[in-house]
Amino acid sequence: MSLFGYKAVILLLNVWIVNSSMFRNDCHVTTWTEWSLSGQYTESRSRKIIWLPPGGVSLCPPLCETREIKADCKVSEWSEWGGNFGFGQQLRTRNVTQNPMGTGNQCPNLIENRYIDKTPTVIETAKNVEQYFIRTRSNPYPGEWLHALVRRQTAQGSVRDLLLIMDSSGSIGQTNFQKANKEISTLIGLLCPENPFNKMNGQYQYNQAAMLTFSSTVYQNFDFDDYATTEDIQGAITKARYYGGGTNTAEAFIQALGMFQSSKGYRNSSEVKPEVLIFTDGQSNNRQQTLQAVEELRKVADVYGLMIGGFTERGKDELTAYVSAPINEHLFYVESYTELEALVKYLSDEKKQAGAWWCAPFNVG
């Protein structure tokens, strides 16, 4: 190679050295990693330094990037409309197939309730009361004899602290108030097990009951631990005083919330199922306050409603809003006190026919 050739090579080498990042203040980094979940609604990616220049990290580009995940809620198609219940209502539902994330659109309503021009028969309502209130779905049903033994062995009865809220307003009237109390006292006697509210050795082994009546004012008839036998509780219900006056349902729900306290004999919710059964024939005097109060009550107890009489669409909407979800398992309706009597008689006859199969065993440890 000629002298000129050597000089050219040396010149090119010097240019490369001068311009090389190893001898400049450039920072060399790897390529970005794939995006990965880094928080509930965020994901991030990172890269590493290959060459740190003499000037330090401050000369390097960002090594981490985070971005918000955005995903809209996705739902399934609507189910078919369900069976007739309540005031002549049907439900249909849909499920969430993808939860929303970040600023994605939230989920739409998952339940729709519509009225149809047909109320359930008394027997249809009685069967709903039996399945969803008197006996839980885990209990065996009369007539299913082929599987009853297996189901009875694997089912478990529900231990409850049940609060009754009885409408004592002027629209009820004293005669109908007494009829209602008589039928409700019979109804709760059908709960499981036999003698569902009897104490054992001074302690309630299974269920407890308390009661409020309401009109313009709310009256606390008895606490959860006031009576030692089912018969005594039934007697206290039938002897409750009628007051007349307005329909202050809001105050009834407020005081009901206060009944689920140890000072009222209420047991811990880890030991029992707290329940409310409200019997009423009309809208409240203060709809907004009532709905606010029952919303708080539903956070503490499962609220059932047994409604009676005639209602406007607005009234039906309000009373439907009292009960816990799913509403088709918590809302029951009869048009008259004759129908109420027929409903309770049907359930009493069903219990007699079922005999020992009426109740699932209780595991009270």
Side-chain angles (χ1 to χ4, degrees), residues 55-256:
V57 178
S58 61
L59 299 177
C60 293
L63 301 176
C64 183
E65 286 185 346
T66 300
R67 68 184 182 185
E68 185 179 49
I69 301 172
K70 179 181 178 180
D72 294 336
C73 177
K74 294 182 180 179
V75 296
S76 65
E77 295 296 321
W78 286 109
S79 67
E80 296 296 322
W81 288 102
N84 194 4
F85 73 95
F87 299 108
Q89 295 154 269
Q90 291 178 316
L91 283 186
R92 67 175 183 173
T93 61
R94 54 187 175 183
N95 301 315
V96 175
T97 58
Q98 176 178 291
N99 289 313
M101 292 192 293
T103 57
N105 293 330
Q106 296 302 300
C107 294
N109 186 23
L110 301 176
I111 299 175
E112 278 193 348
N113 169 43
R114 74 176 181 183
Y115 294 97
I116 59 175
D117 191 23
K118 181 184 177 183
T119 57
T121 66
V122 174
I123 301 306
E124 288 172 332
T125 299
K127 289 180 177 179
N128 285 338
V129 173
E130 177 186 344
Q131 180 176 0
Y132 299 123
F133 177 68
I134 293 296
R135 301 186 302 145
T136 62
R137 287 172 294 176
S138 64
N139 292 355
Y141 297 90
E144 296 182 355
W145 303 110
L146 183 61
H147 302 291
L149 179 60
V150 174
R151 294 182 62 183
R152 188 173 187 273
Q153 289 174 337
T154 58
Q156 180 177 325
S158 297
V159 180
R160 325 173 186 206
D161 275 7
L162 172 64
L163 173 63
L164 301 174
I165 305 178
M166 300 296 295
D167 190 341
S168 179
S169 62
S171 58
I172 291 279
Q174 184 165 352
T175 299
N176 286 335
F177 179 74
Q178 292 171 344
K179 288 180 181 179
N181 285 355
K182 175 179 177 294
E183 298 304 330
I184 294 299
S185 70
T186 302
L187 187 70
I188 69 164
L190 301 176
L191 297 177
C192 294
E194 288 293 323
N195 298 314
F197 299 97
N198 282 13
K199 282 185 177 180
M200 299 287 289
N201 299 320
Q203 298 291 325
Y204 285 103
Q205 186 178 15
Y206 300 117
N207 308 310
Q208 295 187 147
M211 180 177 176
L212 302 177
T213 53
F214 72 98
S215 55
S216 300
T217 307
V218 179
Y219 305 89
Q220 297 186 9
N221 300 76
F222 54 88
D223 294 342
F224 287 107
D225 57 355
D226 279 354
Y227 294 106
T229 68
T230 301
E231 185 179 16
D232 287 343
I233 291 173
Q234 291 175 311
I237 294 171
T238 58
K239 294 174 184 176
R241 179 182 170 185
Y242 171 71
Y243 290 96
T247 311
N248 192 357
T249 317
E251 184 60 28
F253 287 143
I254 291 170
Q255 292 204 30

Side-chain angles (χ1 to χ4, degrees), residues 6-66:
Y6 280 115
K7 288 183 178 180
V9 170
I10 292 172
L11 177 62
L12 290 173
L13 182 61
N14 286 337
V15 170
W16 177 82
I17 292 173
V18 170
N19 287 280
S20 172
S21 61
M22 295 183 64
F23 295 93
R24 295 174 55 212
N25 284 335
D26 288 349
C27 178
H28 267 207
V29 295
T30 62
T31 58
W32 289 109
T33 61
E34 296 295 323
W35 290 100
S36 62
L37 193 66
S38 58
Q40 188 174 7
Y41 303 121
T42 58
E43 59 183 2
S44 61
R45 65 178 183 173
S46 63
R47 54 189 177 184
K48 296 180 179 179
I49 297 172
I50 298 175
W51 167 254
L52 184 65
V57 178
S58 61
L59 299 177
C60 293
L63 301 176
C64 183
E65 286 185 346
T66 300

